[in-house]
């Protein structure tokens, strides 16, 4: 498989920003333009942004909503407040659309040599009042933009293993020697429970993470419904058994 674009692979979110860096107006406009071109349901584009550049009036009005919550962000070159227009539907896809536009903005920042750290720990009502944001609009997210503070390095970028195709009965190559994905921390659910759900592997939800367990069932003739099998801890499964794809039943 080809590598993903470096704009995604090299992106990271600093925990601290260079308080001396100055963002240009052209860079700000490019960030907003990238967000503007994000896809949205029925092309509603239900997002709006407030941009505060360090030392300007908008930044000063954003500051009280950030202080005491995410003080690290106040060293950023710019703070962007993202709001969405409630569509009154269930589910409300406008929230998803705002996330897509912010993701576009983040990738554009990477292309400009900037870094973004998004955060939701701020006083949302205060931020809304500062800019007269009222229903059906609602402030949701902020993003700090700038350069990393000296000494900052990419950390915490480890990713969970890629999901294998989520189709009961789909098998992985022998070389995988176990389920391709999972999250450390939980216990296998009973085989009978997994069979009842019709899933190809057994899982049990935990508070924070998952742990993969492989279920190597016999596949019923002409179908993909597991009819029996055993679980094996990862690293202790037989080498001559193909692993059935696993995925949490509620994900």
């Amino acid at each position: 498989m080809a590598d993903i674009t470096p704009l995604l692979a090299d992106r990271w979110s600093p925990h601290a920003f260079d308080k001396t860096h100055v963002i240009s107006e052209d860079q700000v406009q490019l960030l907003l333009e990238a967000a503007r071109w994000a896809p949205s349901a029925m092309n509603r584009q239900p997002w709006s942004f407030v941009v505060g550049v360090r030392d300007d009036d908008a930044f000063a009005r954003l500051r009280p909503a950030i202080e005491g919550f995410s003080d690290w962000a106040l060293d950023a070159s710019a703070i962007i407040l993202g709001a969405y227009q409630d569509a009154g539907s269930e589910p409300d896809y406008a929230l998803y659309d705002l996330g897509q536009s912010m993701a576009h903005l983040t990738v554009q920042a990477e292309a400009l040599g900037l870094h973004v750290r998004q955060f939701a720990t701020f006083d949302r009502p205060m931020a809304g009042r500062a800019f007269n944001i009222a229903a059906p609009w609602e402030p949701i997210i902020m993003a700090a933009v700038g350069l990393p503070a000296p000494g900052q390095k990419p950390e915490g970028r480890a990713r969970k293993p890629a999901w294998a195709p989520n189709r009961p009965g789909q098998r992985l190559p022998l070389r995988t020697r176990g389920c391709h994905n999972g999250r450390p921390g939980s216990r296998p659910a009973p085989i009978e429970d997994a069979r009842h759900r019709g899933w190809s592997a057994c899982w049990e939800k935990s508070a924070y993470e998952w742990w993969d367990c492989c279920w190597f069932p016999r596949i019923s003739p002409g179908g993909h419904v597991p009819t029996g099998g055993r679980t094996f801890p990862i690293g202790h499964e037989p080498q001559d058994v193909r692993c059935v794809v696993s995925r949490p039943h509620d994900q």
Side-chain angles (χ1 to χ4, degrees):
M1 178 188 298
D3 292 337
I4 63 174
T5 172
L7 293 177
L8 297 175
D10 296 339
R11 185 209 60 78
W12 61 284
S13 302
H15 290 279
F17 285 85
D18 182 351
K19 62 178 66 177
T20 67
H21 173 260
V22 177
I23 192 171
S24 71
E25 179 62 25
D26 286 345
Q27 289 175 320
V28 170
Q29 291 304 317
L30 284 172
L31 295 178
L32 295 177
E33 187 68 1
R36 189 172 75 91
W37 280 98
S40 61
M42 301 178 67
N43 199 29
R44 289 181 58 243
Q45 304 170 48
W47 51 68
S48 186
F49 299 100
V50 173
V51 180
V53 175
R54 190 193 302 115
D55 297 331
D56 74 1
D57 177 66
F59 197 100
R61 291 159 67 187
L62 288 169
R63 177 182 287 272
I66 299 171
E67 288 179 328
F69 293 93
S70 300
D71 296 270
W72 56 267
L74 297 173
D75 288 336
S77 306
I79 300 290
I80 299 176
L81 171 64
Y84 88 110
Q85 185 178 29
D86 189 342
S89 60
E90 183 61 38
D92 191 347
Y93 294 106
L95 270 171
Y96 177 82
D97 294 337
L98 172 61
Q100 291 201 93
S101 65
M102 188 62 78
H104 273 55
L105 183 153
T106 300
V107 175
Q108 180 62 46
E110 183 70 27
L112 294 172
L114 301 171
H115 289 268
V116 175
R117 185 173 191 88
Q118 302 177 51
F119 61 101
T121 309
F122 63 95
D123 190 324
R124 291 170 55 221
M126 183 183 292
R129 291 192 298 270
F131 296 94
N132 298 316
I133 301 173
W137 289 89
E138 184 176 355
I140 294 294
I141 193 72
M142 284 194 187
V145 185
L147 294 183
Q152 281 279 295
K153 298 178 181 179
E155 294 179 350
R157 297 209 70 241
R159 288 298 185 263
K160 295 170 184 144
W163 290 118
N166 183 24
R167 295 193 298 273
Q170 178 70 37
R171 295 167 182 263
L172 297 179
L174 286 174
R175 61 181 176 81
T176 61
R177 297 194 62 247
C179 295
H180 188 268
N181 44 34
R183 306 175 186 175
S186 68
R187 303 180 305 278
I191 288 180
E192 292 75 16
D193 191 28
R195 185 188 304 120
H196 172 72
R197 294 192 178 111
W199 287 82
S200 56
C202 50
W203 295 79
E204 181 177 272
K205 192 172 184 180
S206 65
Y208 302 102
E209 296 179 324
W210 302 87
W211 174 49
D212 44 354
C213 68
C214 280
W215 186 13
F216 305 95
R218 298 185 296 273
I219 305 300
S220 59
H224 299 293
V225 179
T227 59
R230 296 179 58 193
T231 57
F232 299 91
I234 297 302
H236 298 280
E237 71 284 354
Q239 295 188 29
D240 59 346
V241 177
R242 292 176 182 265
C243 177
V244 173
V245 169
S246 62
R247 188 168 186 174
H249 69 273
D250 60 350
Q251 291 239 330

